[in-house]
Amino acid sequence: MKMSLLSALAVSLLLGGCGDRLDTGAIHKRVNETNALAKLRQYQVAQNVLQNETESFARRLPDLFQKEGGPPGRPGMIPRELAAAWGQGPAPVPLSGYLFADVTENADGSQLDPYSQFGLSAYPAEPGRSGDLLLLILLDERAMTISESKPMSRGGHVIWARTYKPGDKPVTRWPSQAELERDFARLDRSVEDAKTLLDTVNKRKPAS
């Protein structure tokens, strides 16, 4: 309900400010992208809860709803509709125009360590119609810092964004640092922040 209210507020503000220049298609995409971002954050919270209880992260998005070959996950860990939007399943159902894919490999091709890493990408089911952005959440707890003045801290999750066009594929391999710097913008606050940053990222790229 909270997300619906926020979405409605965003739409009402856009309606009030755009007048005759209202682009309902653009509003629809922004709402979908904002919802996808909220689902990534919900996924991150569920993974943290699971790790606290079992000392490991889920390898697959649906395992946060019901583990394959095992007992159901704790009710409310993630909603059924988010598990159903898993794009690596046999019949995914988009959630607010977006599908989701697990990051399964590191940049070097090795498998993610379920005790210290997780990743999930959110991508539009209909690029250009249901959304323009691929959103990517990554966490690697192997990046730990120890300081004499502070307790040991874990590497926090980071959300990245890049433009997603027809023919693109979801991210299932952890991008290298060079790829993140070249193709992605770090998303710290909102979808609109990401779009502003991506304009700068895309301007840096050489013309193809």
Side-chain angles (χ1 to χ4, degrees):
M1 176 62 72
K2 182 179 179 182
M3 199 61 231
S4 297
L5 289 172
L6 288 174
S7 299
L9 177 59
V11 170
S12 67
L13 289 172
L14 285 165
L15 285 171
C18 291
D20 294 336
R21 295 176 288 107
L22 175 65
D23 184 343
T24 55
I27 293 173
H28 176 68
K29 289 189 288 186
R30 295 304 84 77
V31 170
N32 285 350
E33 291 159 356
T34 301
N35 283 334
L37 177 60
K39 294 307 177 188
L40 288 186
R41 288 175 171 149
Q42 187 174 23
Y43 161 86
Q44 176 251 324
V45 170
Q47 285 282 39
N48 287 345
V49 170
L50 182 66
Q51 189 202 37
N52 287 335
E53 295 180 352
T54 68
E55 298 187 355
S56 68
F57 298 117
R59 287 181 176 272
R60 303 160 64 250
L61 175 65
D63 290 346
L64 291 167
F65 177 72
Q66 180 170 346
K67 186 172 177 59
E68 186 177 35
R74 213 158 41 73
M77 191 164 278
I78 63 169
R80 181 186 298 272
E81 58 267 23
L82 178 53
W86 186 50
Q88 289 146 308
V93 179
L95 175 58
S96 297
Y98 265 72
L99 295 170
F100 300 80
D102 293 306
V103 176
T104 58
E105 295 183 345
N106 285 298
D108 62 5
S110 63
Q111 295 295 303
L112 263 60
D113 176 8
Y115 294 96
S116 61
Q117 293 177 288
F118 68 68
L120 187 73
S121 62
Y123 59 100
E126 298 179 87
R129 291 177 59 86
S130 63
D132 294 323
L133 292 179
L134 177 141
L135 302 169
L136 175 66
I137 186 169
L138 299 171
L139 179 138
D140 189 347
E141 289 192 337
R142 297 175 304 176
M144 300 171 106
T145 59
I146 300 177
S147 169
E148 293 182 359
S149 61
K150 297 180 180 179
M152 183 172 65
S153 63
R154 295 172 171 174
H157 73 276
V158 178
I159 298 179
W160 301 87
R162 72 166 170 81
T163 304
Y164 194 84
K165 299 177 181 178
D168 287 354
K169 295 182 179 180
V171 173
T172 58
R173 179 185 61 81
W174 198 292
S176 67
Q177 189 60 38
E179 289 171 325
L180 288 172
E181 293 175 358
R182 184 189 67 216
D183 299 328
F184 290 80
R186 181 165 174 162
L187 177 55
D188 292 318
R189 291 181 294 276
S190 70
V191 166
E192 290 307 317
D193 289 334
K195 291 185 175 297
T196 300
L197 290 168
L198 281 170
D199 286 342
T200 302
V201 170
N202 292 329
K203 286 176 183 177
R204 291 202 304 260
K205 294 181 182 180
S208 56

